[in-house]
Structure formats: C-alpha cells, structure tokens
Amino acid sequence: MAHTRTAAARPAPAPAGDRLLLTTARHSAGRAAALGLLALASAGAALLLPLALGHTLDLLLARRGPGAARWTALCALLVAGPAALDAAGELLTGTTAARATARLRHRLLGHVLAAGPRAAGRFPPGDLVTRAVGNAADTGTAPATLAHAAASVAGPVGGIVALGLIDPWLAVAFLAGAPLLAALLRAFARASTDSVARYQQLQGDIATRLVEALGGARTIAAAGTAGRERARILEPLPRLSRQGRRMWRVQGRSTAQAGTLVPLLQIAVLAVAGLRLSQGHLTVGDLLAASRYAVLATGVGMLVGHLNAAARARAAAGRAAEILAVPRVPYGQRRLPAGGPGTLELRDVSVVRGGRTVLDDVSVTVPGGTSLAVVGLSGSGKTVLAEAAGRLADPDGGLVLLDGVPLPSIRHEDLRRAIGYAFARPALLGGTIGGTIGFGAFTPEREALEGAARAACAHDFVRRLPHGYDTACASAPLSGGETQRLGLARAFAHAGRVLILDDATSSLDTATERRVAAALRACGATTRLLVAHRPATAAAADRVLWLHEGRAVAVAPHATLWQNPSYRAVFNA
C-alpha cells in the first residue's frame, strides 16, 4: 500500500471554527432560546424549592396547619415541575442537535462538491468523511450545549443571590472561595480543548488508513499482507488511547478538585449559617434553605459537563471549518458563442503539485472537430493536462480557452454541457446502469442513452443483465472493461463541444477499442483529447502532444513522431 498521507491539513485559525460554531448556533437560535427558557424555568423552580421548603418547615414547626398544607402542595409542584420541564428539554435537545447536524452536513457536502478535486486533494478520503460526519455531529450539539451552559449559570448565580438575601454573610462565606472555583473551571476548559482536538485528529488519521486499506483489499489479499496492514491502520491507536486517557484524567482531576473544594464551600456556608442561627438572626427554615442554596451555588458538576461538551464542539467546529476554508471553484457568467466548433486552446499552462512543477508552459491548440492524443511516460503530466483542459483543476499559470472564451469565465452549466469526460476507472454513480450512463449536467432521452451505449460497445452486455438498463449497479457484476465502456457511454451521451478521455480505453480489448475509436471518429464536430498509452490509440488521432517531465516535446502526427526512437521508447516503456 502507498504511504498514508497526513490526515491533518494545516489547522484553520481558531476564529474560523468559532465563527462556524456561532453560525450553527444562530441558525438554531429559536430552538436554542426555547431550550434555554425550559432550562431557566427548571432552574427557577429549583431556586424556589429551598425557600418553599424552609418556609414550610417553619410553618410545620409553628403548627400552622392551613398555611403549611398550601406550602406543602407548592413544594410538591416545585419538585414535579422541573421533572416535566427536563423531559421536554431532553426531547428538544435531541431534535435541535439533529437539525443542526443535518444542516451542517448538507453545507459541508455542498462545499466539498463545489470545491471539486481541490477538497479531495487536500484531505484524505477517510479524514474528510470523519470531519463531515463525526465532527459535524459534535458541532451540531453546540446550540443545545450553549443553551444549557447559559441556563446552568442561573443555578449558581441564583444560589449566591439567594444566600445573600437570606443573610449577606452567607454570600460572603461562599464568595471567599469562588476564585478557586473559577480557576478550576478555566484550567479544565483549556486542557480539555487541547486533548479533544488531538483525539479527533487521530480519529481522522485512523479512518484515512482504513479507507486506503479497503480500497486496496484485493492487493492486500494477493500480497498476503493483512497483518502488516492491520498494524499500519492501528498504528495511531496507542496515541489515540493516550489522548483518551488524558481526557479522562483532565475530567477526573477537575472532578476530584471540585469534590474537595465544593464541600469545603458548603461547610463554610453552613458554619456561618449555624453561627447566625445561634445568634438568632436565622430560623431553622432559613438554615435548611441556606444548605440547599449552597449546593446550587456550587453546581460545578453541571458546568464541567457543559464545558466538556462545548470543548468537544469547538474542536470539531475547527476541523469542519478547515473544509469550508478550501475555496470553491468560481465560475463566470459568459456564454459560449453559438455554434462554436469546439476549439480548445492551452496557452503557457503550468501546474504545480506538492511543490513540483507537473506541467511547465505547455501550449497547444486543438482545432474544432479534430483529435489530439497526449502521450508521455508515467509522471509526465498527461492526467493533469486532461484535468486542466476541462477545468477539473485550474492551472497555476497560463490560460485554457474554449472557442476563444477563458474557461473560468464560462457559466457553470454551459461549461459542463460543453465538455464531457471519461476516465480510466469511472465511478458508477447513477444508481442503475441507465442512470449511470445518463448521469451528468442533463439527462438524455432513453434513445440517446442506448445510442451512446452502442457506440461504447456496452449495449449488448447491458441487455443481458437481469433488468437491462434498469439493473441496479450494485447488482451488476461488471468487469473492468465493462465498467470502462459504461464510462465511455456516459461521455458519449453528454458529448458537447469537447470530449476528454483520460486513459478511458486501457481495459478494452483490441477489437473493442477499434470499434470505440470508430465511434469517436463518427462524433463529427466534437473535439477529442485522449490520454493514450497504446500506439494504436495515438495513431488514430489527428495529432499527438508528446510530453516529457511536464514539457511539450513536440506536437505532430503519430506517423511523424514514430520516426523518433525516443518517442517509440515511450510505448515500449
């Protein structure tokens, strides 16, 4: 297997992730507000309960029956009410997170498709899926998490205020230790954010390795290297485990520190309350209320949980934001001239990949209705030139024009209708065989689909499938050559002014390739650009562009170039 690409691209600036987090929250603002109101109502009931319990206790001790009964009923209502509010809040939390996640996933998917090969080139497939699925789900929890976190502050703040209303000295006793509590929460948030980010990055790395192995399953089985691949896939697992343990240690340490500090604060409040009770400034009911308000004021457990969820959402948003940082492919608004012949022109085209110049000032013109074969040794830049010619990738220098119009200035729909592609390993994306052939900027009529299949020598084997053109792709056992023929049929069905074949006949037998070549010549005015590896394919073209290490060596008919031993060596290699 090839060496695994680095799963983590250069991290996006933190503000990008924060902006995405806030955008996600803003689009769920209504639901988050409703959730916050439910949580606040529940917190309000929890804050009223100690007061009601204390007053009820005082009434019972004073043997005031009628008043005590009403206050007892109020206490029961304050106990049952939050339970109902919490149940409604849990339901709203789930639906809010689901909706926010779905919206973000749609946005990420749309952006990846709009960015095209740029996104796939920047992120390995496994890591890209992890970001768009798992990290999107974590980010989708942000609206509910922020609502809960905001509402959870009401409990501690309300508890402190209530202590001050009962007796100012109770609030002073609690606030004396509040700075330590704030420092604990701040340290937890900082450490948790770092460990969560590293954990998510390693998850993406493992997913990348797994997708690579699944794509090469036959090679692994043939080589007998299953054990080696398993070790390669799981190589980041110890680091993932360390980060997972680190997260638990951070949370455990914070919980332990809180478990030590919180009781001390509660004891301090109760000690002052007991002293004030002995001095006659408080009643027994006030003491009971103060004890419960001290618990509410030290509600650090809930805050730690919400902070942990917020840290996870923030780290995930940062990874999702890296996808959105990949620029979309921009399109112009110009239309192609009506009835244009399909003249394709490359002017001083240069492409740099990974710091290496793959194409270097390549210039060539393919007149409308003619064919150009692109020939060269492996790594000479043939596929990159085919990508630039149809604007699957923009060159780093130079310009590509179709009928005199620069490709970046052409409307998206017009460009994709004008240029058809066929690849060496076509993807069967249409669901059915007929859907695969019709997959494109427009859906051809059934007659056109079958005509394209006949031209690509695919009609006969498609008819033998259980349901013909309506056979599901997953249920059709296809050979490599049959798959290529479907890809060719798709290109023929959508052939506009230019047809680009990137080694699209490499799996065809010689007789089938000749029939396909004849169909290509019958395309009439369609301009053809073919990446060729066989002499017969190059000989069938009007001219040949000979590439060597990214440079154009010559542009001439195949018969002329065949006199050059170096040119013949390209095919012998």
Side-chain angles (χ1 to χ4, degrees), residues 318-459:
R319 285 173 54 79
E322 291 178 15
I323 296 178
L324 299 176
V326 179
R328 292 170 174 259
V329 177
Y331 289 89
Q333 294 300 318
R334 291 185 63 179
R335 292 182 177 273
L336 290 168
T343 298
L344 185 66
E345 183 180 358
L346 283 75
R347 295 181 184 171
D348 302 322
V349 169
S350 296
V351 176
V352 179
R353 296 280 174 84
R356 183 172 71 92
T357 301
V358 183
L359 288 180
D360 190 2
D361 290 332
V362 175
S363 295
V364 65
T365 299
V366 190
T370 67
S371 58
L372 177 75
V374 183
V375 170
L377 295 171
S378 177
S380 60
K382 301 184 297 297
T383 293
V384 175
L385 184 139
E387 291 176 352
R391 211 187 171 213
L392 292 183
D394 286 325
D396 296 288
L399 197 61
V400 182
L401 303 97
L402 178 57
D403 287 332
V405 183
L407 297 191
S409 65
I410 302 174
R411 295 172 69 242
H412 176 266
E413 183 180 356
D414 291 356
L415 179 62
R416 291 305 156 212
R417 281 178 173 267
I419 300 177
Y421 265 98
F423 303 99
R425 290 182 292 275
L428 307 182
L429 297 175
T432 64
I433 297 299
T436 292
I437 298 174
F439 187 83
F442 62 95
T443 303
E445 299 293 334
R446 183 59 173 261
E447 183 179 348
L449 289 180
E450 294 187 7
R454 287 190 177 92
C457 303
H459 180 69

Side-chain angles (χ1 to χ4, degrees), residues 373-375 505 510 513 531-541 543-544 557-559 562 567-573:
V374 183
V375 170
T505 61
T510 303
E513 185 180 13
V531 173
H533 290 85
R534 296 176 181 175
T537 306
R543 292 186 304 158
V544 173
H558 173 76
W562 191 255
Y567 178 76
R568 294 198 300 271
V570 171
F571 297 99
N572 293 334

Side-chain angles (χ1 to χ4, degrees), residues 164-188:
L165 292 175
I166 293 172
D167 192 302
W169 286 107
L170 300 180
V172 171
F174 179 86
L175 292 174
L180 291 175
L181 195 60
L184 185 154
L185 293 174
R186 184 170 179 272
F188 170 77

Side-chain angles (χ1 to χ4, degrees), residues 190-211:
R190 184 168 57 248
S192 180
T193 298
D194 179 67
S195 59
V196 166
R198 293 176 183 273
Y199 189 87
Q200 291 174 347
Q201 178 180 329
L202 289 168
Q203 281 182 318
D205 191 6
I206 292 175
T208 296
R209 295 166 186 245
L210 177 59
V211 169

